[in-house]
């Protein structure tokens, strides 16, 4: 597919994608680059890991998931970068934080040993590992998001941590099938300005064009102002992948009825 006339360039920061890459969440960057090219948007991607400097500016930040061990590896440095990341969020930089990355974009994650891994407090959420004997939240997940025109999002989740929204926090989506934030209150993820947190792995972007285009457009608007927009073009492969994953989620995942033990 040839690119449309250039809509401009977005600066994308992929945080710790060599560490926080469970379920190939780095695929979100690849999907973004592919879709951007198809829509005539250029991408300047900076992969930033332990010890690397953050670029001076960004239009979109991505961080994937990781097991407790990986989260401990990045937490101290991430917290040191928290002030800048929060400043970017206040400036409407688009963000997608997945699972363990989402947890560490919250206030803290208390792991199974009761140790609190500090987060950057961008989302007003806290996460706690469940008591012994509780199941992990694992499986296909289907949610409906009221954010922009995102709508239906499908993915895969695997987390022990249960995330709870603070008083002022807004969920990214509502659970239709699967567990979501905690398997009890029907919320999934969190949204703060243009920053989105979610538990959906997959990676999530290749088969959820509504979410992908939402992030692309938000990044363009951060750089070029509120008039910037993209004209979504159909992507038959993404649509087929989405529909296939939705059918699997409806078949295999528990319809959300409440508490996951
Ligand atoms: N370690 C976190 C948990 O188990 C996040 C896991 C993940 O990123 N898949 O809840």
């Amino acid at each position: 597919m040839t690119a449309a006339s250039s809509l401009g360039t977005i600066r994308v920061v992929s945080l710790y994608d060599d560490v926080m890459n469970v379920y190939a969440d780095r695929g979100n960057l690849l999907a973004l680059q592919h879709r951007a090219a198809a829509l005539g948007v250029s991408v300047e991607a900076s992969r930033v890991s332990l010890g690397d400097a953050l670029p001076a500016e960004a239009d979109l930040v991505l961080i994937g998931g990781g097991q407790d061990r990986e989260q401990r590896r990045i937490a101290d440095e991430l917290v040191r970068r928290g002030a800048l990341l929060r400043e970017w969020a206040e400036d409407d930089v688009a963000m997608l934080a997945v699972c363990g990355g989402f947890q560490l974009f919250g206030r803290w994650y208390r792991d199974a040993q009761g140790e609190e891994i500090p987060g950057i407090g961008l989302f007003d959420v806290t996460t706690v590992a469940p008591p012994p004997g509780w199941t992990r939240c694992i499986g296909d997940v289907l949610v409906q998001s009221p954010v922009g025109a995102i709508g239906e999002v499908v993915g895969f989740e695997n987390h022990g941590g249960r995330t709870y929204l603070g008083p002022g926090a807004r969920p990214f989506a509502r659970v239709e099938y699967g567990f979501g934030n905690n398997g009890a209150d029907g919320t999934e993820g969190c949204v703060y300005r243009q920053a989105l947190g979610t538990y959906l792995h997959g990676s999530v972007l290749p088969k959820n064009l509504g979410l992908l285009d939402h992030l692309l457009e938000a990044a363009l608007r951060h750089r070029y102002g509120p008039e910037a927009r993209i004209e979504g073009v159909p992507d038959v492969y993404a649509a087929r992948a989405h529909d296939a994953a939705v059918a699997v989620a409806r078949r295999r995942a528990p319809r959300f009825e409440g508490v996951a033990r």
Side-chain angles (χ1 to χ4, degrees), residues 138-143 152-157 176-178 201-202 207-208 239-256:
I138 299 180
D140 304 283
V141 53
L142 179 62
V143 302
E152 182 177 83
V153 187
V154 64
F156 187 83
E157 61 186 328
E176 196 177 343
Y177 287 82
H201 293 288
K207 52 179 170 287
N208 293 287
R240 281 185 193 157
H242 179 87
D243 294 346
V246 168
V248 168
R250 289 180 186 278
R251 189 172 65 249
R252 284 198 317 203
R255 187 169 177 77
F256 179 73

Side-chain angles (χ1 to χ4, degrees), residues 13-14 26 46 56 81 104 139 164 169 192 222 247:
V13 172
S14 185
R26 188 186 310 157
S46 306
R81 293 167 158 171
L104 296 187
Y164 299 93
Y192 179 71
H222 176 259

Side-chain angles (χ1 to χ4, degrees), residues 44-152:
E44 282 173 10
S46 306
R47 296 178 61 188
V48 172
S49 195
L50 287 163
D52 298 337
L54 273 176
E57 293 186 284
D59 303 298
L60 174 57
V61 175
L62 301 172
I63 183 169
Q67 297 312 335
D68 296 19
R69 180 180 57 251
E70 283 85 14
Q71 289 175 287
R72 289 192 198 94
R73 274 186 65 194
I74 69 160
D76 290 345
E77 185 180 278
L78 182 66
V79 166
R80 287 198 297 274
R81 293 167 158 171
L84 179 54
L85 290 166
R86 290 191 302 274
E87 190 183 306
W88 281 355
E90 292 302 328
D91 189 44
D92 285 344
V93 169
M95 299 186 179
L96 179 69
V98 176
C99 201
F102 164 41
Q103 295 172 343
L104 296 187
F105 269 41
R107 298 192 182 286
W108 42 259
Y109 164 47
R110 187 178 301 138
D111 68 15
Q113 285 69 45
E115 177 194 338
E116 247 175 50
I117 305 175
I120 66 172
L122 190 152
F123 295 121
D124 180 14
V125 302
T126 53
T127 301
V128 289
W134 279 38
T135 57
R136 287 181 66 83
C137 298
I138 299 180
D140 304 283
V141 53
L142 179 62
V143 302
Q144 299 294 336
S145 175
V147 177
I150 294 174
E152 182 177 83

